[in-house]
């Protein structure tokens, strides 16, 4: 038997690659080496077969585990080496059902379906706040209209049952004392033969097409959220349900608002004298409105003021987060002569007025304790 290349190496993925990474790698390579794109190139054809074989094993958790444990021996005649399978209970038939049952296409809840699709969509901070409908274009395979998905150029021709597998789509071959089941090489697993393949879809029954889908992104969505849209993935071909579409949502950062869960934070500068005397400031809200916030006399830098219910919606709930205004007291620069005089006069007065500086009072009494060895 010819030496086989490691399945992970075939798909150019690491041994700890997850299901999505394996699927992506498979799609990329399968596109590149597909026989339709490389007519008459035997190397590409062999590579394509290898890629499919590797993917059949690595996409299935059970088969992958068997492969990780036994290598290619898990799927070859002569059976696994030391260690072996546990043949108790179900018998050979069940084991092969488990190991090779899913040779074609994805499965969900035990039924076959078209492949799932992944798309990325980026929305603004404000769109995440209010919710938004986005039109997205999805490259996908849809049922070929030219042949109604039959794959045959002659629509009325009854599909012939494949003579190799008698319509089963898979063949069993004896290798050593094992029976190995694999997709029928004559009909590629479909179970029937097309004498006169459709020119649009090359007999596959599906064609690639861009579809535009409107996706409702709910208010309150967070960066990195994945939305599943059932049945909007790739067509599964005739009689097989379509896969699902997964929309990965990225949310852009905002110049003045930050987010933490459902709460929104906004840093607002307040002039030194305003903070000391107290004032009312106008602050922006994410929805584009404005609201007034009372800043009491003696507000310190870093103090928060809560605007209840002005935060993000909480998904799948009627709750809302809050918005927090975080005050930053600004020290004036480039003083005029008059300002300088006033501040000098103010400072002369402030020095003898300890209660007026709550931070300093606490701090300097601790400094005194520190030098006296009490701290
Ligand atoms: Zn067949
Ligand atoms: Zn067609």
């Amino acid at each position: 038997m010819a030496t086989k290349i490691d399945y992970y190496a075939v798909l150019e993925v690491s041994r700890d690659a997850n299901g999505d990474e394996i699927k992506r790698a498979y799609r990329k390579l399968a596109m590149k080496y597909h026989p339709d794109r490389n007519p008459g190139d035997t190397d590409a054809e062999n590579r394509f077969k290898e890629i499919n074989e590797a993917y059949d094993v690595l996409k299935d958790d059970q088969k992958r585990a068997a492969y990780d444990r036994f290598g290619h021996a898990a799927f070859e005649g002569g059976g696994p080496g030391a260690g072996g399978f546990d043949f108790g209970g179900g018998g050979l038939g069940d084991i092969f059902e488990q190991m090779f049952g899913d040779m074609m296409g994805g499965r969900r809840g035990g039924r076959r379906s078209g492949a799932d699709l992944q798309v990325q969509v980026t929305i603004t901070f404000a769109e995440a706040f209010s919710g938004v409908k986005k039109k997205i274009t999805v490259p996908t395979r849809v049922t070929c209209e030219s042949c109604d998905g039959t794959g045959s150029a002659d629509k009325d021709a009854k599909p012939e049952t494949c003579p190799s597998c008698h319509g089963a789509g898979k063949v069993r071959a004896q290798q050593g004392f094992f029976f190995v089941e694999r997709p029928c090489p004559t009909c590629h697993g479909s179970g029937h033969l097309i004498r006169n393949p459709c020119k649009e879809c090359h007999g596959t029954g599906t064609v690639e097409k861009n579809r535009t889908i409107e996706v409702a992104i709910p208010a309150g969505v967070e960066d990195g959220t994945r939305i599943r849209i059932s049945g909007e993935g790739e067509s599964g071909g005739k009689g097989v349900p379509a896969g699902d579409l997964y929309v990965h949502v990225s949310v852009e950062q905002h110049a003045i608002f930050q987010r933490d869960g459902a709460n929104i934070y906004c840093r607002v500068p307040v002039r030194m004298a305003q903070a000391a005397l107290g004032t009312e400031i106008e602050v922006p809200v994410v929805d584009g409105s404005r609201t007034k916030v009372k800043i009491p006399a003696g507000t310190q830098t870093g103090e928060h003021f809560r605007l209840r219910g002005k935060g993000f919606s909480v998904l799948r709930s009627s709750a809302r987060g809050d918005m927090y205004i975080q005050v930053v007291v600004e020290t004036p620069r480039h003083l005029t002569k008059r300002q300088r005089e006033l501040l000098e006069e103010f400072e002369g007065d402030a020095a003898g007025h300890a209660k007026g500086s709550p931070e300093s009072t606490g701090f300097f009494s601790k400094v005194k304790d520190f030098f006296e060895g009490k701290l």
Side-chain angles (χ1 to χ4, degrees), residues 18-37:
N18 65 30
D20 280 351
E21 288 165 344
I22 288 172
K23 188 188 270 184
R24 266 201 306 276
Y26 165 72
R27 281 167 169 253
K28 201 182 97 198
L29 293 168
M31 294 275 263
K32 187 170 165 190
Y33 293 103
H34 195 282
D36 284 354
R37 295 199 171 182

Side-chain angles (χ1 to χ4, degrees), residues 279-328:
T279 185
E280 196 174 61
I281 57 170
E282 198 178 63
V283 296
V285 183
V286 187
D287 63 12
S289 65
R290 299 155 196 266
T291 190
K292 292 210 161 119
V293 179
K294 231 176 143 59
I295 304 292
T299 293
Q300 303 296 318
T301 205
E303 271 184 42
H304 286 92
F305 297 93
R306 179 158 78 162
L307 302 172
R308 201 181 274 278
K310 298 271 188 203
F312 277 86
S313 302
V314 178
L315 287 184
R316 286 177 290 278
S317 133
S318 59
R320 280 193 96 93
D322 299 324
M323 178 166 163
Y324 290 90
I325 300 299
Q326 190 180 16
V327 169
V328 184

